[in-house]
Amino acid sequence: MKKRILTGDRPTGRLHLGHYIGSLKSRVELQDEYDEFILIADVQALTTHFDRPELIHQSIYDVAMDNLSVGLDPEKVTVIQQSMIPAIAELTIFYSMLVTVPQLSHNPTIKTEAKNYGYKEMTYGFLGYPVSQTADITFCNADLVPVGDDQVPHIEMARKIVRKFNDLYGTSITEPEYKLSSVGRLSGLDGNQKMGKSMGNALYLSDTPETVWEKVRNGVTDTNRVSVKIPGNPDVCAVYKYHKAFAPDEAENISSMCKNASIGCVACKKKLAETLNNLLDPIRERRSYYESHLDEVKEIINSGTEKANKIGNENIKAIKEKMHVAL
Ligand code: TRP
């Protein structure tokens, strides 16, 4: 029996290279070894975008297509729509009794995110999303969650909730482990620490080659390097970080050419755009197939959700029996 992975994305827009490096790439690598569940977390998207349901609707398709386009095989992975899994909603309520409000408000990720949305505006639903994420992971007894470092507090909270729940009710819900992405976080070409939709510095998987070049061309390099003739410092160059992330074999060479001024920033950026476009070309090709076969995308989501519901319904039934709420 293969171990089960559950991971997912909030459908609030298209996925970008940060998602690719942080998660999608390893999803593709792990799809043979694991029974992989890819959750489209539309309920979680509502916690911040409740007033933009049409964006969420469109993004469910976009996120599914982004996942399929990077090479996840719909014959191997199970794509799930969160709002269509009643077991997740029910478990969220049961788990919510075992988590205190201070535990949630001290969660570092919640704290950071709350800063962006404003503490005063924080809803009950938003504060509770780590609880609902615990239900996402455990309704199907997932063993492993591949995550970026920002999600670690959530998995730790999930483990605590599950332990407490199992102790109380004698259930045997799987305590999930996490696997940190080995590459770490992708910074922005603008020099920002993080690539993000909300930062306006995202390079999307579905960007055209022209857009990729445009974004790379505007990337920040060593600001002291005012002329091609003077040597550059790759350590302070946002573009160089991308060479390291996407063309690790060539990075050493590019670094020495920069340091001895034998390559200029424009040529170096052209190289990067080429690397990225080579990576994105097959992704674009698969995406364009799915874009003209939206019915197929919908069917992949629906049949994955149906399969997940068989598992979820069975588990929730057993859980309710253990809890003695079933008559
Ligand atoms: N919170 C995750 C994010 O913002 C998305 C997500 C929802 C998720 N449910 C999950 C990730 C379960 C892993 C497991 O990216």
Side-chain angles (χ1 to χ4, degrees):
M1 274 273 276
K2 285 183 185 174
K3 288 203 167 194
R4 181 166 292 153
I5 278 182
L6 186 132
T7 181
D9 311 289
R10 296 155 36 104
T12 54
R14 296 179 171 211
L15 302 183
H16 52 66
L17 282 179
H19 294 115
Y20 179 78
I21 281 288
S23 184
L24 298 172
K25 191 165 178 257
S26 64
R27 291 179 197 178
V28 175
E29 287 160 5
L30 297 172
Q31 65 179 329
D32 289 306
E33 193 186 333
Y34 289 87
D35 177 21
E36 209 166 68
F37 281 26
I38 309 291
L39 181 86
I40 304 176
D42 55 348
V43 179
Q44 198 178 103
L46 283 165
T47 64
T48 49
H49 291 65
F50 54 85
D51 53 352
R52 300 188 64 192
E54 65 303 319
L55 170 73
I56 294 176
H57 182 95
Q58 175 59 42
S59 303
I60 291 171
Y61 281 99
D62 277 326
V63 163
M65 287 193 284
D66 284 329
N67 272 284
L68 295 166
S69 305
V70 297
L72 285 177
D73 180 347
E75 299 288 325
K76 291 179 189 159
V77 304
T78 307
V79 183
I80 315 167
Q81 187 184 356
Q82 185 190 24
S83 63
M84 301 307 273
I85 309 281
I88 293 180
E90 293 190 51
L91 270 182
T92 302
I93 295 178
F94 294 151
Y95 288 161
S96 74
M97 320 302 167
L98 308 185
V99 187
T100 65
V101 173
Q103 264 172 340
L104 287 165
S105 49
H106 294 150
N107 176 307
T109 305
I110 288 277
K111 268 192 182 166
T112 320
E113 288 174 342
K115 262 189 222 141
N116 302 334
Y117 300 108
Y119 262 114
K120 286 204 192 87
E121 301 294 316
M122 188 160 30
T123 62
Y124 166 54
F126 179 81
L127 183 68
Y129 96 71
V131 181
S132 131
Q133 190 158 323
T134 302
D136 297 342
I137 298 165
T138 56
F139 87 95
C140 60
N141 286 312
D143 301 284
L144 190 68
V145 191
V147 288
D149 52 3
D150 60 316
Q151 297 290 306
V152 171
H154 297 339
I155 312 299
E156 272 161 2
M157 178 173 285
R159 291 170 59 84
K160 246 192 218 141
I161 294 175
V162 170
R163 270 201 297 273
K164 197 164 174 185
F165 198 92
N166 284 339
D167 279 351
L168 263 173
Y169 302 117
T171 44
S172 43
I173 300 169
T174 306
E175 216 180 292
E177 312 263 349
Y178 64 82
K179 181 178 191 285
L180 265 186
S181 126
S182 54
V183 201
R185 167 174 303 189
L186 188 66
S187 47
L189 278 168
D190 57 355
N192 201 305
Q193 282 295 307
K194 194 178 166 188
M195 173 179 285
K197 211 162 16 203
S198 51
M199 328 247 194
N201 64 0
L203 221 156
Y204 293 96
L205 296 173
S206 47
D207 277 346
T208 62
E210 295 72 31
T211 305
V212 168
W213 168 237
E214 197 57 27
K215 289 180 180 176
V216 171
R217 197 173 61 83
N218 287 314
V220 174
T221 53
D222 174 1
T223 46
N224 288 327
R225 198 178 179 200
V226 286
S227 130
V228 199
K229 292 189 200 93
I230 63 169
N233 177 6
D235 295 338
V236 299
C237 173
V239 171
Y240 181 63
K241 293 206 172 81
Y242 277 64
H243 281 296
K244 273 213 298 216
F246 293 98
D249 297 343
E250 285 173 50
E252 197 53 43
N253 188 26
I254 288 169
S255 165
S256 49
M257 287 198 292
C258 173
K259 283 181 187 155
N260 64 29
S262 61
I263 189 172
C265 291
V266 176
C268 180
K269 286 174 171 176
K270 285 216 164 113
K271 256 185 189 299
L272 177 63
E274 197 182 307
T275 299
L276 296 179
N277 281 324
N278 285 340
L279 169 74
L280 293 176
D281 272 340
I283 298 177
R284 292 182 185 115
E285 205 170 300
R286 283 186 219 110
R287 193 177 223 282
S288 100
Y289 169 83
Y290 284 115
E291 275 173 353
S292 54
H293 294 79
L294 281 181
D295 284 350
E296 207 174 302
V297 178
K298 189 172 170 181
E299 177 50 29
I300 290 168
I301 301 171
N302 285 343
S303 62
T305 302
E306 195 183 317
K307 175 179 154 193
N309 266 330
K310 286 205 182 97
I311 299 168
N313 291 341
E314 221 168 89
N315 288 343
I316 199 81
K317 185 165 175 273
I319 288 168
K320 282 177 176 169
E321 276 163 13
K322 286 278 189 187
M323 291 175 80
H324 296 294
V325 292
L327 293 183

